[in-house]
């Protein structure tokens, strides 16, 4: 489905492949039925979750956003020179589309394609971009990016850059990350590029603090997924009977986020009953941390050639430019 959307005098194209409710129900029932109960992290981002994520990015402990923005600000010119002008810039999981503004200024692509599962936030973000960058064609796609990354037919044969910041690649299991990078490579096409943000391995205290901010915003973000399930799937989670837990799992090089049942309880979702003991958890997110070398190995396994990597002075975060290898 494609629509022309207007925001004051700015216009962008909006596409939606929304059959999300059935999939949400199926994946929640399936995940809660597992021995280690789980809910996929993509379901964090209803309207409230998207706003809470914006607030997480403003917390002093949450270094990734501010660090990645600084790397982009400092190196946007060099990135643009490496990639070339007049490109199609595609951003899966674009969120608020804040970071890309630095690239739009430096690269002057002719088309921008923001893609996100959070439709309401996407519409606002795309409208703001269309308004602030009048010379730019904007095609916003509301879709699940793990479902094949269908990008609208675009005019011209300009090379593509797929921008995937925020260290979201760390939410995939490493094997799935390789498969997803290969999917992004297919989207970029031969000779196209990927620019991927990576949260680097570091002092565990910094990592643990980032996912346990003192203001409790990450806790609220984590718990909000239960509120969403109550509202959209007619469930009866007692939100006060769950608590947020996030910790660095050193053996796996990942932050794990869980929701911990604080007592014995049963939860009902549409005829299904899930029994929890005190201390049982629902695993809601992994965030894998990489070194530059371990991430390069993933990229090579996905058929991508590492071109360049930019980082900050403290080595907290990396931004990798990769090229889709030829046949
Ligand atoms: C951690 S936020 C990052 C936002 C932004 N890219 C940044 O770097 O600040 C993840 C974003 O990806 C979106 N997202 C997560 N899973 C998705 C999926 N399977 N398909 C499409 N969007 C997804 C969320 O809605 C959210 O906007």
């Amino acid at each position: 489905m494609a629509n022309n959307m207007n925001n004051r005098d700015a216009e962008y194209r909006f596409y939606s492949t929304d059959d999300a409710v059935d999939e949400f129900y199926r994946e929640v029932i399936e995940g809660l039925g597992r021995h280690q109960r789980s809910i996929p992290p993509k379901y964090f981002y209803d309207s409230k979750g998207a706003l809470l994520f914006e607030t997480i990015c403003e917390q002093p402990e949450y270094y990734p956003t501010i660090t990645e923005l600084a790397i982009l600000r400092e190196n946007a010119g060099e990135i643009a020179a490496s990639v070339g002008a007049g490109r199609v810039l595609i951003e899966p999981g674009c969120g608020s589309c804040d970071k890309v503004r630095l690239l739009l200024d430096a690269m002057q692509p002719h088309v921008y394609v923001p893609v996100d599962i959070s439709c309401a936030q996407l519409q606002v973000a795309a409208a703001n971009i269309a308004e602030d960058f009048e010379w730019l064609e904007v095609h916003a796609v509301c879709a699940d990016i793990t479902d094949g990354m269908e990008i609208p037919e675009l005019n011209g044969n300009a090379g593509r850059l797929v921008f995937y910041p925020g260290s979201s690649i760390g939410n995939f299991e490493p094997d799935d990350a390789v498969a997803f990078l290969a999917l992004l490579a297919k989207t970029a096409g031969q000779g196209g590029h990927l620019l991927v943000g990576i949260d680097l391995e570091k002092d565990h205290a910094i990592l643990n603090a980032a996912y346990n901010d003192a203001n409790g915003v990450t806790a609220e973000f984590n718990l909000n997924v239960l509120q969403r399930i109550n509202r959209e799937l007619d469930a009866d989670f007692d939100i006060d009977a769950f608590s947020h837990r996030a910790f660095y799992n050193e053996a796996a090089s990942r932050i794990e986020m869980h929701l911990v049942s604080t007592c014995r309880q049963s939860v009902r979702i549409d005829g299904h009953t899930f029994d929890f003991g005190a201390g049982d958890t629902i695993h809601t997110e992994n965030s894998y941390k990489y070194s530059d070398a371990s991430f390069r190995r993933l990229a090579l396994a996905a058929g991508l050639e590492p071109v360049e990597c930019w980082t900050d002075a403290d080595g907290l975060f990396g931004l990798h430019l990769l090229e889709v290898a030829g046949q």
Side-chain angles (χ1 to χ4, degrees), residues 61 63 203-213 246-249 255:
E61 300 92 338
Y63 62 86
D203 184 338
H204 304 173
I206 298 176
L207 288 168
N208 283 320
Y211 291 82
N212 290 285
D213 60 274
F247 60 90
Y248 188 62
N249 175 338
I255 285 280

Side-chain angles (χ1 to χ4, degrees), residues 42 45 53 93-95 99 116-118 121 143-145 165-166 168:
K42 65 185 175 185
Y45 300 93
F53 180 72
C94 57
K99 292 171 185 165
D116 207 286
I117 201 166
S118 187
Q121 184 190 35
D144 183 335
I145 53 177
S168 297

Side-chain angles (χ1 to χ4, degrees), residues 82-83 87-88 158-162 184-195 303-305 307 321-326:
S82 303
V83 170
R87 297 252 150 181
V88 171
R160 293 176 168 192
L161 171 69
V162 176
L184 296 185
K186 197 167 157 218
T187 303
Q190 199 175 331
H193 291 86
L194 269 58
L195 185 64
L304 289 153
E305 293 290 345
V307 176
L321 183 65
L322 311 163
E323 186 169 357
V324 182

Side-chain angles (χ1 to χ4, degrees), residues 192-247:
H193 291 86
L194 269 58
L195 185 64
V196 184
I198 297 301
D199 197 7
L200 295 170
E201 288 164 348
K202 58 180 65 66
D203 184 338
H204 304 173
I206 298 176
L207 288 168
N208 283 320
Y211 291 82
N212 290 285
D213 60 274
N215 290 325
V217 186
T218 308
E220 200 183 341
F221 173 76
N222 198 6
L223 286 159
N224 178 59
V225 76
L226 300 185
Q227 265 164 358
R228 178 178 186 184
I229 294 170
N230 278 354
R231 193 180 57 248
E232 295 183 24
L233 302 182
D234 200 20
D236 66 355
F237 275 104
D238 176 0
I239 311 299
D240 294 334
F242 285 85
S243 64
H244 164 75
R245 182 187 292 160
F247 60 90

